[in-house]
């Protein structure tokens, strides 16, 4: 058994395709296949079920792949120990971010990273929570910025901030003249939702289960009330198609200035962003954003530096969690 063979089985489990795994490992497919077959013979068990359409990991194979990932990380830790004597932050850090956080946090985070830890460039991956958790488990990414809650996978978690939601309504809407709204006032509105797979969609539905009538299994025009991104949803709000909830960091800074000054910003005159009061429905809705990584990940200085960099960013309207 060699580290190379372990690397190959982890790649196949991740790619679910021998050819793609071979490409990822920069070897020919026959070379990879022969190595995996040799390992299977040595272990006297089948690691993968092969079919014409896909490759799946056997139940016992999944346990071995997980252990192989841990062994590879421990082997990489030997190199990391050697590097720490020179620079504990040396080398890129692969960071996953969900779609409803990336566009609003990453610009300043990347600037901060370039200025303070240029030896640790951030390699960024935007995706859904479920996919990022899978990528964490398989080692495709080192850490991720997610919104709770998500399935407990034995990951290390560092809370970053609590972020309130705001209501976004057309500027011509009856609610636009108010200083704030309650959840009860929104329940009878046409709610624009993100598509299935976005955790923020689930957060909105948790606040107002009534909005599920606009879910993807609805019929006719209601299906068109789903958008692929928060920015798309905002355009739909500006067009008067309905209202939505957005996380605080996604609200443009100019949109919260006085009405007089906002008039100069033509792209923001069609949307009014309103705080959500407690009303009769409990505390205002919000989400907790966290940094998470595998407990076996050995670059502790890197995750600490990233954690500090995120909290050093300008995060208007959120509550930082030390």
């Amino acid at each position: 058994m060699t580290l190379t063979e372990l690397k190959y089985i982890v790649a196949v489990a991740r790619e679910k395709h021998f050819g793609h795994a071979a490409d990822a490992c920069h070897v020919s497919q026959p070379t990879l296949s022969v190595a995996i077959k040799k390992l299977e013979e040595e272990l006297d068990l089948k690691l993968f079920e092969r079919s014409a359409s896909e490759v799946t990991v056997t139940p016992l194979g999944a346990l071995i792949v997980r252990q192989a990932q841990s062994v590879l990380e421990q082997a990489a830790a030997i190199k990391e120990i050697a590097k720490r004597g020179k620079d504990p932050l040396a080398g890129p850090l692969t960071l996953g971010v969900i779609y409803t956080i990336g566009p609003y946090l990453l610009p300043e985070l990347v600037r901060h990273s370039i200025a303070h830890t240029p030896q640790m460039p951030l390699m960024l991956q935007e995706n859904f929570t479920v996919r990022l958790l899978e990528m964490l488990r398989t080692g495709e990414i080192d850490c991720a910025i997610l919104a709770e809650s998500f399935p407990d996978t034995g990951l290390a978690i560092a809370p970053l901030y609590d972020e309130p939601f705001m209501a976004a309504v057309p500027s011509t809407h009856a609610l636009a003249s108010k200083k704030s709204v309650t959840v009860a006032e929104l329940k009878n509105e046409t709610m624009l939702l993100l598509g299935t797979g976005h955790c923020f969609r689930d957060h909105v539905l948790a606040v107002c289960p009534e909005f599920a009538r606009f879910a993807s299994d609805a019929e006719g025009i209601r299906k068109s009330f789903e958008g692929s991104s928060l920015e798309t949803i905002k355009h739909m709000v500006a067009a008067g198609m309905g209202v939505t909830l957005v996380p605080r960091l996604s609200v443009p800074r100019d949109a919260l200035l006085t009405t007089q000054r906002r008039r100069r910003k033509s792209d923001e005159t069609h949307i009014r962003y309103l705080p959500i009061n407690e009303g009769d429905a409990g505390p205002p809705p919000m989400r907790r954003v966290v940094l998470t990584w595998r407990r076996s990940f050995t670059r502790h200085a890197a995750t600490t530096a990233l954690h500090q960099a995120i909290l050093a960013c300008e995060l208007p309207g959120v509550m930082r969690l030390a």
Side-chain angles (χ1 to χ4, degrees):
M1 184 184 305
T2 66
L3 290 178
T4 299
E5 291 168 349
L6 298 184
K7 177 183 175 182
Y8 290 168
I9 66 171
V10 168
V12 172
R14 180 179 67 240
E15 302 291 341
K16 297 180 174 60
H17 190 282
F18 275 75
H20 296 165
D23 291 340
C25 295
H26 307 292
V27 297
S28 68
Q29 183 172 335
T31 297
L32 180 138
S33 298
V34 167
I36 291 178
K37 184 177 180 180
K38 175 177 173 292
L39 180 59
E40 288 180 324
E41 291 174 350
E42 179 181 346
L43 298 175
D44 193 23
L45 59 85
K46 182 175 288 189
L47 298 173
F48 302 101
E49 294 287 351
R50 302 156 174 86
S51 69
S53 59
E54 65 177 356
V55 175
T56 58
V57 187
T58 64
L60 192 55
L63 296 177
I64 292 175
V65 167
R66 192 175 306 165
Q67 185 63 35
Q69 177 65 46
S70 178
V71 170
L72 291 171
E73 289 183 356
Q74 292 303 314
I78 296 174
K79 295 181 179 180
E80 292 299 330
I81 291 171
K83 284 182 180 179
R84 284 177 200 155
K86 303 174 183 178
D87 186 348
L89 301 179
L93 186 72
T94 306
L95 172 64
V97 189
I98 58 175
Y99 292 113
T100 57
I101 291 178
Y104 315 110
L105 176 62
L106 289 180
E108 187 168 355
L109 177 59
V110 169
R111 285 195 294 270
H112 189 284
S113 175
I114 292 172
H116 295 89
T117 54
Q119 73 276 40
M120 188 183 76
L122 296 179
M123 300 178 64
L124 304 172
Q125 173 69 246
E126 234 183 354
N127 219 309
F128 296 113
T129 297
V130 171
R131 176 60 181 140
L132 291 177
L133 289 173
E134 180 183 347
M135 296 172 77
L136 273 174
R137 287 192 295 269
T138 59
E140 291 178 77
I141 58 176
D142 300 321
C143 46
I145 301 174
L146 307 174
E148 291 187 329
S149 58
F150 47 83
D152 181 16
T153 57
L155 298 170
I157 295 175
L160 295 173
Y161 55 84
D162 286 338
E163 181 178 22
F165 301 165
M166 296 190 73
V169 305
S171 58
T172 56
H173 196 283
L175 293 175
S177 61
K178 299 174 67 69
K179 292 184 178 179
S180 63
V181 295
T182 65
V183 170
E185 288 176 310
L186 295 172
K187 286 184 176 180
N188 293 323
E189 300 296 328
T190 298
M191 177 59 60
L192 307 178
L193 296 171
L194 285 170
T196 303
H198 290 277
C199 62
F200 190 74
R201 167 200 176 89
D202 300 329
H203 295 158
V204 174
L205 291 177
V207 174
C208 292
E210 295 85 355
F211 297 156
R213 68 183 186 274
F214 299 119
S216 59
D217 58 355
E219 296 181 356
I221 192 171
R222 286 182 174 176
K223 280 191 175 181
S224 69
F225 290 161
E226 294 186 352
S228 59
S229 72
L230 281 177
E231 297 307 308
T232 299
I233 291 287
K234 289 180 186 179
H235 290 309
M236 295 165 72
V237 171
M241 293 186 64
V243 305
T244 195
L245 300 186
V246 297
R248 176 62 179 79
L249 290 183
S250 74
V251 177
R253 186 175 308 177
D254 292 337
L256 297 180
L257 299 176
T258 63
T259 302
Q260 183 91 20
R261 293 184 63 184
R262 275 193 293 113
R263 282 189 186 131
R264 301 175 194 167
K265 300 288 185 179
S266 60
D267 56 337
E268 291 304 328
T269 56
H270 301 297
I271 303 177
R272 180 87 161 89
Y273 296 94
L274 304 169
I276 301 174
N277 287 333
E278 295 187 20
D280 299 326
M286 65 174 56
R287 66 178 178 179
R288 173 158 293 184
V289 175
V290 302
L291 176 66
T292 182
W293 61 94
R294 293 181 306 282
R295 294 187 184 279
S296 59
F297 187 56
T298 58
R299 295 181 62 189
H300 305 300
T303 54
T304 298
L306 178 62
H307 187 192
Q308 294 172 344
I310 295 169
L311 294 181
C313 292
E314 187 176 355
L315 304 172
V318 309
M319 181 183 297
R320 288 175 173 81
L321 302 171

